[in-house]
């Protein structure tokens, strides 16, 4: 088969998903539940006479295979190498996430395809976290550095294949197959820790995620996330199947016009891990890190829309904390407060809360053919009012791990007070992240903005209009 990065990404994602199913069988059950929920949602839609005859209209093929994963890395070299590995699969760093706001000594980016075509072919993304050595206490940093120095999370053959792909711009089909098998080794679970039980406990006392990053020989995938069109139904089915589901769905409430991201998961499993004791003998212990998650994606918000979202969520959390709300009460507060976020496309468009793709209506197509508007100037609102253009929201392709406004009470209970202080005083450090990465991160807002502008520019050209006014 002809080599192309999109096909390689799709195959890699599939192989990773199959591997994770054998490692965490509950994840396999979760993907079955997602299929069931999506089928039910489509049926319910059809029965309600919603005029959706083709399930693929609601469920484009990309949804059915869509996954995101998450990994946590320890060193700049690991991050830079992962960047090279993902680039071969057409995945690039988009967005910077400062996790110190939630009390984690980590920051992150997401590797994902950037353009609409590639996203439509396969939207695999990996949320990739880097440990921040500057936010560790001296003792923990020394321990972490010593453990990380000894490990190599990439096989030698994978490095050869990466170099080959970089040099030649492609891999043969047998090399691609090897790239997948070798690449999986970076993400595979190992039940033997590389640290002693004593070291593990020290790391864990400072923050459980430090122990998760430092104590193993590679960067095991810690969850995979299929996408659904009805997350409320998935949550219900998870509970019915007796899965250890989280109490409630994170993110915005259910809406007619969904925004950003709603997520739920089953809780991380406690797994047996073998640690060496001081005399080098393996002893039994346990570690809790791996889980399964599900998400429903909505529309990408502009910085203005995001600010509104963050502000409302902050109010929700303050109110819920004051009332010590149960999850049912939280749901109610969420619903009430989110009335301030218009659930109406034309409002979201006119207030510039979300990003949109523009296209010609049938009327617009006719005008384009006739070239009757050639050389004129028109405003965007005129073109919309006259039914020449129409718009459709752009899907949010990024993450919402801990939206700034959503954090009201950082969960630092397991941190020592010195490290707590270090993390609390930290701010984002995108420069250091980019230095470690060895490249610039693409700003996600700019990416959506450019997508929007490109569709408008395409319409303008086809209509032969000179300029389109009042765009923003
Ligand atoms: C962060 C994972 C973030 C999501 O869906 O927001 C993420 C972590 O590694 O703990 O996957
Ligand atoms: Ni996730």
């Amino acid at each position: 088969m002809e080599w192309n990065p999109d096909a390689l990404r799709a195959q890699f994602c599939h192989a990773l998903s199959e591997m994770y199913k054998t490692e965490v069988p509950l994840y396999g059950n979760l993907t079955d539940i997602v299929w069931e929920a999506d089928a039910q949602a489509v049926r319910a839609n059809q029965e309600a006479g919603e005029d959706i005859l083709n399930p693929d209209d609601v469920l484009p093929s990309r949804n059915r295979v869509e996954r995101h994963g998450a990994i946590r890395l320890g060193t700049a070299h690991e991050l830079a190498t992962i960047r090279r590995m993902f680039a071969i699969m057409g995945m690039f760093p988009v967005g910077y996430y400062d996790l110190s706001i939630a009390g984690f000594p980590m920051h992150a980016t997401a590797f994902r395809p950037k353009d609409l075509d590639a996203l439509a072919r396969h939207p695999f993304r990996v949320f990739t976290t880097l440990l921040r050595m500057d936010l560790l206490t001296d003792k923990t940093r020394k321990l972490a550095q010593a453990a990380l120095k000894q490990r190599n999370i990439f096989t030698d053959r994978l490095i050869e294949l990466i170099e080959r792909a970089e040099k030649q711009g492609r891999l043969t089909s047998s090399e691609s197959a090897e790239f997948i098998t070798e690449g999986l080794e970076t993400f595979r679970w190992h039940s033997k820790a590389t640290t002693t039980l004593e070291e593990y406990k020290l790391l864990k006392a400072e923050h459980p995620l430090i122990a998760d990053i430092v104590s193993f020989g590679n960067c095991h995938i810690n969850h995979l996330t299929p996408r659904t069109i009805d997350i409320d139904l998935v949550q219900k089915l998870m509970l019915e199947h007796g899965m250890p589901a989280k109490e409630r769905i994170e993110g915005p409430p259910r809406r007619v016009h969904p925004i950003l991201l709603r997520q739920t998961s089953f809780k991380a499993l406690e797994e047996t891990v073998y640690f060496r004791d001081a005399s080098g003998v393996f002893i039994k212990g346990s570690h809790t890190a791996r889980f399964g998650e599900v998400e429903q994606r909505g529309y990408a918000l502009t910085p203005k829309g995001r600010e509104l979202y963050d502000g409302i969520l902050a109010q929700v959390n303050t109110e819920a904390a004051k009332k010590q709300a149960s999850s049912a009460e939280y749901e109610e507060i969420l619903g009430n407060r989110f009335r301030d976020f218009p659930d109406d496309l034309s409002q979201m468009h006119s207030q510039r809360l979300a990003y949109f793709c523009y296209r010609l209506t049938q009327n617009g197509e006719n005008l384009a053919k006739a070239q009757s508007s050639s050389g004129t100037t028109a405003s965007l609102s005129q073109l919309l009012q006259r039914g020449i253009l129409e718009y459709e929201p752009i899907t949010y392709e990024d993450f919402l791990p801990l939206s700034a406004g959503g954090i009201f009470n950082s969960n630092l209970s397991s941190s020592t007070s010195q490290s707590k202080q270090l993390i609390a005083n930290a701010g984002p450090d995108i420069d250091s992240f980019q230095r470690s990465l060895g490249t610039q991160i693409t700003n996600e807002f700019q990416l959506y903005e450019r997508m929007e502008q490109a569709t408008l520019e395409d319409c303008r050209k086809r209509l032969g209009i000179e300029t389109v006014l009042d765009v923003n």
Side-chain angles (χ1 to χ4, degrees):
M1 199 184 71
E2 186 66 21
W3 182 73
N4 81 62
D6 297 329
L8 187 62
R9 179 171 69 254
Q11 285 163 15
F12 190 85
C13 178
H14 177 76
L16 187 65
S17 178
E18 291 302 303
M19 181 176 88
Y20 200 57
K21 273 182 200 172
T22 64
E23 291 183 350
V24 180
L26 261 188
Y27 160 72
N29 299 354
L30 180 62
T31 62
D32 291 345
I33 286 178
V34 168
W35 273 84
E36 192 184 327
D38 283 352
Q40 269 189 39
V42 169
R43 244 180 283 131
N45 242 314
Q46 286 171 334
E47 278 160 20
E50 304 248 306
D51 196 29
I52 297 162
L53 297 173
N54 177 4
D56 283 339
D57 285 348
V58 243
L59 273 180
S61 54
R62 59 166 260 183
N63 283 41
R64 298 176 185 254
V65 292
E66 185 158 350
R67 299 282 184 274
H68 88 241
I71 54 171
R72 302 172 186 142
L73 304 174
T75 66
H77 178 258
E78 289 175 359
L79 181 66
T81 312
I82 276 284
R83 188 254 303 161
R84 294 167 62 200
M85 176 185 178
F86 284 144
I88 293 159
M89 296 190 270
M91 297 158 76
F92 307 97
V94 178
Y96 172 77
Y97 302 86
D98 169 20
L99 303 183
S100 73
I101 55 171
F104 300 169
M106 293 145 50
H107 49 183
T109 190
F111 289 92
R112 67 162 176 92
K114 288 204 288 194
D115 61 72
L116 280 172
D117 287 348
L119 283 161
R121 275 182 232 116
H122 199 292
F124 182 44
R125 348 172 150 68
V126 180
F127 192 88
T128 304
T129 300
L130 179 66
L131 185 62
R132 282 178 72 172
M133 291 294 174
D134 56 321
L135 302 187
L136 306 185
T137 61
D138 288 346
K139 195 172 165 196
T140 304
R141 185 183 319 113
K142 281 199 191 100
L143 200 58
Q145 279 169 339
L148 292 167
K149 214 165 84 188
Q150 285 175 24
R151 80 175 185 185
N152 177 6
I153 66 171
F154 307 101
T155 68
D156 294 343
R157 182 61 183 149
L158 181 70
I159 299 295
E160 275 173 26
L161 290 165
I162 292 174
E163 282 166 0
R164 206 177 177 81
E166 285 173 344
K167 242 181 239 138
Q168 306 187 347
R170 67 188 302 278
L171 293 173
T172 66
S173 67
S174 71
E175 285 166 347
S176 295
E178 256 189 298
F179 180 92
I180 292 171
T181 342
E182 297 290 325
L184 287 183
E185 292 313 308
T186 300
F187 305 121
R188 189 185 296 284
W189 172 249
H190 292 283
S191 60
K192 280 188 182 136
T194 50
T195 53
T196 65
L197 184 56
E198 201 186 329
E199 289 166 337
Y200 175 84
K201 282 181 178 160
L202 278 169
L203 296 166
K204 190 173 166 186
E206 186 150 319
H207 197 291
L209 291 182
I210 305 175
D212 185 58
I213 296 170
V214 174
S215 307
F216 298 90
N218 69 352
C219 61
H220 49 258
I221 189 109
N222 68 63
H223 68 275
L224 271 182
T225 307
R227 177 172 168 187
T228 178
I229 55 168
D230 193 340
I231 197 163
D232 299 278
L233 192 50
V234 173
Q235 174 82 351
K236 182 169 160 268
L237 291 175
M238 275 211 284
L239 292 169
E240 280 173 20
H241 284 69
M243 275 200 189
K246 264 211 315 240
E247 284 74 24
R248 48 171 205 85
I249 298 164
E250 304 274 346
R254 189 180 180 94
R255 293 160 49 95
V256 178
H257 300 289
I259 51 171
L260 298 171
L261 199 54
R262 299 180 72 211
Q263 297 181 313
T264 184
S265 58
F266 62 79
K267 291 173 194 155
L269 319 164
E270 187 176 338
E271 301 174 276
T272 299
V273 170
Y274 297 90
F275 297 91
R276 280 183 205 279
D277 67 9
S279 59
V281 175
F282 277 110
I283 48 172
K284 205 166 154 180
S286 73
H287 179 65
T288 309
R290 300 189 306 155
F291 60 101
E293 185 186 47
V294 56
E295 69 189 9
Q296 183 172 352
R297 289 189 171 266
Y299 308 152
L301 299 185
T302 61
K304 187 182 170 201
R306 181 56 188 268
E307 214 170 282
L308 181 60
Y309 171 83
D310 283 341
I312 295 174
L313 202 59
Q315 288 169 7
V316 170
N317 288 332
T318 309
E319 188 181 336
K322 224 182 260 166
K323 288 187 181 153
Q324 300 197 314
S326 66
S327 29
E329 286 162 345
Y330 187 96
E331 231 46 69
E332 201 184 314
I333 299 169
L334 192 70
N336 287 338
R337 292 276 181 179
F338 264 91
R339 293 214 187 101
D340 292 342
F341 201 115
D343 193 2
D344 172 282
L345 273 195
S346 72
Q347 283 290 320
M348 288 166 74
H349 180 266
S350 63
Q351 293 184 36
R352 296 288 304 143
L353 297 175
Y355 291 104
F356 293 88
C357 280
Y358 295 96
R359 59 173 178 238
L360 299 181
T361 59
Q362 191 52 55
N363 183 13
E365 295 281 359
N366 296 339
L367 287 173
K369 244 179 242 147
Q371 283 293 305
S372 53
S373 316
S374 201
T376 61
T377 297
S379 75
L380 178 58
S381 40
Q382 280 168 347
L383 292 171
L384 291 167
Q385 264 162 30
R386 287 192 213 138
I388 296 169
L389 290 191
E390 59 190 2
Y391 52 76
E392 187 184 18
I394 298 177
T395 300
Y396 188 58
E397 303 288 356
D398 294 286
F399 288 81
L400 203 56
L402 316 142
S403 83
I407 306 299
F408 67 98
N409 183 14
S410 300
N411 176 18
L412 296 169
S413 56
S414 48
S415 297
T416 61
S417 57
Q418 194 196 346
S419 67
K420 211 190 254 187
Q421 213 48 51
L422 276 168
I423 295 167
N425 295 339
D429 192 355
I430 187 168
D431 289 342
S432 132
F433 192 92
Q434 290 183 144
R435 270 196 305 277
S436 302
L437 187 63
T439 184
Q440 297 286 109
I441 291 174
T442 303
N443 178 289
E444 67 276 32
F445 291 109
Q446 280 173 12
L447 214 49
Y448 295 118
E449 172 96 36
R450 261 184 260 148
M451 263 180 199
E452 182 177 276
Q453 289 304 319
T455 63
L456 190 60
E457 178 60 10
D458 183 54
C459 293
R460 185 194 66 76
K461 276 197 189 132
R462 293 181 57 206
L463 289 166
I465 292 178
E466 199 71 42
T467 24
V468 179
L469 302 169
D470 84 2
V471 170
N472 284 308

